[in-house]
Amino acid sequence: MNNTQTQTDATAKIWELIRNIHVAMLTTTDPDGALYSRPMATQQDSFKGELSFLTQQHSGKVEEVRDNAQVNLTYADTHNSTFVSLSGTATLSRDPARIHALWHPTFTAWFPGGEGDPEITVLTVRVEQAEYWDAPSSSLVRNFQILKRAVTGGKGSVGDHERLAVTPRAS
């Protein structure tokens, strides 16, 4: 398999796992090294190696990204036992076209000035590494596999786990 195919497969797998999980936890690092996580609504309808979010220009996360652009996004769907951790580099933008592409009218709850609100900033994470854990969605199957591992001393699989390197593709 060539590198392009590998990257296509990696981004497709990540999107398959996160597309129905509408909130990610974004983790940043403050200047003292403390980690901070907060929920961010995913607004995209595809994934090509980057994920973008609208946020407030004057917020802790924006200041933290300016000081240290290495971030982590965590997606969790406990109902289906799907967990995804994405690490990468964050950038900030005030590009009106990017804001427009991500805008939804419900965002006026956070940005009272609408799409042109001067507080809107686009935070984009260029995903470099991904790791996921995906167990069967049937609790009966999952519980059987857990029991099997317990009885066999940890042999057998409860689900899929993989680490992926991601190189964002041009849009």
Side-chain angles (χ1 to χ4, degrees):
M1 185 178 334
N2 65 37
N3 190 44
T4 302
Q5 184 62 40
T6 301
Q7 290 305 307
T8 300
D9 292 347
T11 56
K13 180 63 177 181
I14 292 166
W15 185 244
E16 172 191 331
L17 294 168
I18 70 171
R19 72 178 182 196
N20 292 317
I21 306 173
H22 302 290
V23 175
M25 292 299 288
L26 170 71
T27 303
T28 57
T29 307
D30 79 2
D32 295 327
L35 300 174
Y36 287 96
S37 298
R38 74 278 287 157
M40 302 292 288
T42 302
Q43 285 122 22
Q44 294 172 214
D45 58 6
S46 66
F47 174 70
K48 295 179 180 172
E50 293 183 344
L51 291 163
S52 295
F53 307 87
L54 297 182
T55 190
Q56 296 278 342
Q57 173 69 24
H58 295 94
S59 66
K61 69 183 129 332
V62 168
E63 293 304 317
E64 291 158 7
V65 164
R66 284 188 180 124
D67 289 339
N68 182 349
Q70 292 305 121
V71 300
N72 182 269
L73 292 167
T74 304
Y75 287 84
D77 178 351
T78 57
H79 179 72
N80 291 311
S81 293
T82 300
F83 307 92
V84 181
S85 176
L86 307 171
S87 59
T89 304
T91 58
L92 302 166
S93 168
R94 305 244 325 113
D95 178 12
R98 296 287 313 262
I99 293 168
H100 179 74
L102 296 168
W103 183 257
H104 189 275
T106 59
F107 297 157
T108 56
W110 291 273
F111 305 104
E115 191 175 323
D117 192 308
E119 269 299 301
I120 299 176
T121 298
V122 179
L123 187 153
T124 299
V125 178
R126 180 180 189 264
V127 177
E128 295 152 1
Q129 296 289 323
E131 189 167 9
Y132 71 86
W133 299 262
D134 188 30
S137 59
S138 163
S139 62
L140 181 63
V141 171
R142 198 169 44 250
N143 289 338
F144 173 76
Q145 290 175 329
I146 291 169
L147 179 60
K148 180 180 171 185
R149 280 184 60 92
V151 170
T152 62
K155 294 181 180 142
S157 173
V158 177
D160 296 331
H161 170 248
E162 188 173 359
R163 285 187 178 177
L164 305 168
V166 180
T167 303
R169 295 179 286 157
S171 299

